[in-house]
Amino acid sequence: EVQLLESGGGLVQPGESLRLSCAASGLTFRACPLSWVRQAPGKGLEWVSGISAMGGEHTYYADSVKGRFTISRDDSKNTLYLQMNSLRAEDTAIYYCTKYAGQYTGNSYFEYWGQGSLVTVSS
Amino acid sequence: QTVVTQEPSFSVSPGGTVTLTCGLTSGSVSTSFYPSWYQQTPGQPPRTLIYSTNTRSSGVPDRFSGSILGNKAALTITGAQADDESDYYCVLFMGSGVYVFGTGTKVTVL
């Protein structure tokens, strides 16, 4: 059974940084492209970032986070990360770790979802 | 900035049929956008329903179906049941590794 477990969320002030982690099990982690999707309280879903399999040579970002967030992975630890810098109030959301179907980040869909980790940016 | 539009809400009677759509503010949706659909109930992560326009995910009842209708992607629920009352989101692949979620549709069954 595929399991994705996010951690690292919490309350931070505007301008601060936070790193989310997603520990994966039940899959061949290094072969899996992965992504982060977020959902602000009471709002819709927003794709945030994606990373290719096999070391994560290719990364992709939504315009809303480009230059502030960095996605990465450690295949030796079966863990996905999202480093979030210069956080803003509008980054407040539940952040879901997701696995793309197939081998690539393109022409795919979000096959598995974690339970999410809440990030709150407030002074 | 690309906006993917969905109806804000729909109401359907038990046993009835409802079709949700997923469009672009500029341009038409085709199979090349690999539209997928997700169902979400309060407090839960989304559940994958449909991918690649019309392929049902494992375990999804056949009352859910996907298609292209005109210039939009569509999700049809045929024979709606009470537990279909949820939020529904489409996603389009825009190329260059970028995905955009639709605005979401709240479906009420009553």
Side-chain angles (χ1 to χ4, degrees), chain B residues 29-41:
Chain B
V29 177
S30 68
T31 57
S32 299
F33 287 87
Y34 284 80
S36 54
W37 292 89
Y38 304 83
Q39 177 191 51
Q40 188 181 34
T41 54

Side-chain angles (χ1 to χ4, degrees), chain A residues 2-121:
Chain A
V2 173
Q3 291 194 336
L4 303 171
L5 184 60
E6 302 93 339
S7 61
L11 173 64
V12 295
Q13 295 192 346
E16 292 186 339
S17 298
L18 199 64
R19 188 178 80 159
L20 299 181
S21 300
C22 172
S25 60
L27 46 74
T28 304
F29 184 83
R30 64 188 301 268
C32 297
L34 301 162
S35 77
W36 292 96
V37 173
R38 69 183 180 183
Q39 186 169 36
K43 303 296 185 182
L45 298 165
E46 181 187 15
W47 174 82
V48 172
S49 181
I51 188 167
S52 60
M54 305 296 185
E57 178 181 0
H58 302 287
T59 58
Y60 309 94
Y61 299 93
D63 287 344
S64 57
V65 306
K66 200 173 294 183
R68 300 187 299 123
F69 289 12
T70 301
I71 190 171
S72 63
R73 60 191 296 158
D74 186 336
D75 290 348
S76 68
K77 296 182 178 179
N78 285 10
T79 302
L80 173 71
Y81 302 101
L82 186 67
Q83 177 67 42
M84 303 182 292
N85 298 333
S86 303
L87 282 161
R88 307 167 179 166
E90 55 264 36
D91 295 319
T92 294
I94 296 172
Y95 285 74
Y96 295 103
C97 169
T98 78
K99 173 193 171 299
Y100 290 103
Q103 298 178 307
Y104 307 105
T105 55
N107 297 342
S108 187
Y109 66 99
F110 307 106
E111 185 178 23
Y112 293 101
W113 297 70
Q115 290 296 311
S117 182
L118 177 61
V119 172
T120 303
V121 184

Side-chain angles (χ1 to χ4, degrees), chain B residues 50-86:
Chain B
I50 300 286
Y51 61 92
S52 194
T53 305
N54 56 12
T55 303
R56 271 186 299 276
S57 188
S58 176
V60 173
D62 61 6
R63 65 178 181 273
F64 293 93
S65 61
S67 63
I68 298 291
L69 286 181
N71 62 351
K72 297 181 180 182
L75 173 71
T76 299
I77 309 173
T78 304
Q81 299 184 3
D83 60 3
D84 296 336
E85 188 162 293
S86 303

